[in-house]
């Protein structure tokens, strides 16, 4: 059973960089069978896809966040990470990591999720 | 970006009721749609992918249908544990992958 667990600071100051790590257990990121993604949800609002990464390091980002986002992978630790720069209060959200399955290279969906971690941007 | 519009935004229903939630895409997405269930304080859970394929372990009272721009999620007989918020997600044209705004199923 695949499990994902987010970790990182729960409070970040405005203009600084948000950094989170997702540790995967019960499966290997290096298998190459899946992509690995970050999704966020502001309090009381809907879901926003941030981006995903393949074990090789290839990434896809949401264009609305692309200038501020970096997703990286450490296969030796079976982890992938998110960095979001120049944060504002609008970046306050629960951040989820998730595994991405695909069909025929077209249908991408999130089949396993971490429990989520609340990150608050405030001075 | 493809916009996903869910309706209704909330629905009140009783245990045993049949509940239907609609998701409309701003342009055709073939059958590349997924549905998720989210309970308060929890991560979303995958219910259906590719519009109508039931994820392993999900009860058969959940079903999905549709293609192109119009999709539905149906709960054939609502159970107490089904009270939650439901989201659709398109994967036909990305980046970005986009979600609908959510439909909250509440107790009547």
């Amino acid at each position: 059973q695949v499990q994902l667990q987010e970790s990182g600071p729960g409070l970040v100051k405005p203009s600084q960089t948000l950094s989170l790590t997702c540790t995967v257990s019960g499966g290997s990121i290096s298998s190459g069978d899946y992509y690995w993604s970050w999704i966020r949800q502001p309090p009381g609002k809907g879901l926003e896809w941030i981006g995903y990464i393949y074990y090789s390091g290839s990434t896809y980002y949401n264009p609305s966040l692309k200038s501020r986002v970096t997703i990286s992978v450490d296969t030796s630790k079976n982890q992938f990470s998110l960095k979001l720069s120049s944060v504002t209060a609008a970046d306050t959200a629960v951040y989820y990591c998730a595994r991405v399955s695909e069909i025929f290279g077209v249908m991408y969906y999130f089949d396993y999720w971490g429990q989520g971690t609340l990150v608050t941007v405030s001075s | 970006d493809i916009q996903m519009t869910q309706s209704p935004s909330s629905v009140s229903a009783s245990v045993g009721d049949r509940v239907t939630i609609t998701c409309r895409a701003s342009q055709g997405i073939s059958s590349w749609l997924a549905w998720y269930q989210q309970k308060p304080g929890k991560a979303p859970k995958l219910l259906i992918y590719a519009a109508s394929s039931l994820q392993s372990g999900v009860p058969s009272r959940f079903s999905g249908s549709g293609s192109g721009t119009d999709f539905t999620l149906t709960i054939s007989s609502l159970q107490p544990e089904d009270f939650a918020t439901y989201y659709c997600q398109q994967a036909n044209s990305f980046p970005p992958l986009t979600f609908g705004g959510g439909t909250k199923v509440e107790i009547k």
Side-chain angles (χ1 to χ4, degrees):
Chain A
Q1 178 80 344
V2 173
Q3 292 184 314
L4 298 92
Q5 178 67 58
E6 304 89 351
S7 59
L11 181 64
V12 181
K13 289 182 168 53
S15 79
Q16 293 190 343
T17 296
L18 178 160
S19 296
L20 296 174
T21 296
C22 182
T23 301
V24 179
S25 58
S28 174
I29 288 179
S30 298
S31 71
D33 293 332
Y34 305 98
Y35 297 80
W36 305 90
S37 188
W38 289 96
I39 298 146
R40 70 180 183 178
Q41 185 172 37
K45 296 188 178 180
L47 299 161
E48 180 181 31
W49 174 70
I50 298 171
Y52 68 62
I53 192 165
Y54 194 50
Y55 81 101
S56 62
S58 298
T59 52
Y60 285 94
Y61 297 138
N62 189 325
S64 68
L65 298 168
K66 188 174 182 178
S67 64
R68 299 193 292 130
V69 171
T70 303
I71 297 176
S72 59
V73 65
D74 186 338
T75 55
S76 68
K77 295 182 179 179
N78 221 31
Q79 294 176 334
F80 61 105
S81 298
L82 168 69
K83 290 189 185 297
L84 181 65
S85 64
S86 304
V87 297
T88 70
D91 296 308
T92 294
V94 175
Y95 286 76
Y96 295 101
C97 58
R99 191 181 81 170
V100 185
S101 285
E102 61 89 13
I103 303 173
F104 310 130
V106 182
M107 176 74 213
Y108 294 81
Y109 56 95
F110 310 100
D111 58 356
Y112 285 92
W113 297 64
Q115 65 185 24
T117 187
L118 174 63
V119 179
T120 301
V121 178
S122 175
S123 55
Chain B
D1 298 359
I2 294 179
Q3 308 302 318
M4 306 302 293
T5 303
Q6 288 184 234
S7 61
S9 56
S10 66
V11 57
S12 294
S14 301
V15 172
D17 284 352
R18 181 182 183 89
V19 174
T20 298
I21 298 168
T22 297
C23 181
R24 176 164 289 176
S26 59
Q27 62 190 74
I29 59 170
S30 186
S31 296
W32 308 133
L33 184 103
W35 289 97
Y36 301 85
Q37 176 194 66
Q38 186 179 33
K39 297 181 179 179
K42 301 294 187 181
K45 172 188 174 182
L46 176 67
L47 299 176
I48 287 170
Y49 61 94
S52 60
S53 296
L54 197 66
Q55 173 70 352
S56 176
V58 173
S60 59
R61 62 180 179 272
F62 291 93
S63 65
S65 65
S67 67
T69 60
D70 295 316
F71 301 85
T72 59
L73 172 70
T74 299
I75 310 172
S76 61
S77 178
L78 197 65
Q79 297 302 300
E81 60 268 30
D82 300 336
F83 292 97
T85 299
Y86 294 84
Y87 293 93
C88 60
Q89 172 242 320
Q90 70 83 20
N92 182 72
S93 175
F94 73 97
L97 297 168
T98 50
F99 293 87
T103 295
K104 187 173 184 179
V105 177
E106 298 175 300
I107 301 173
K108 193 170 185 179

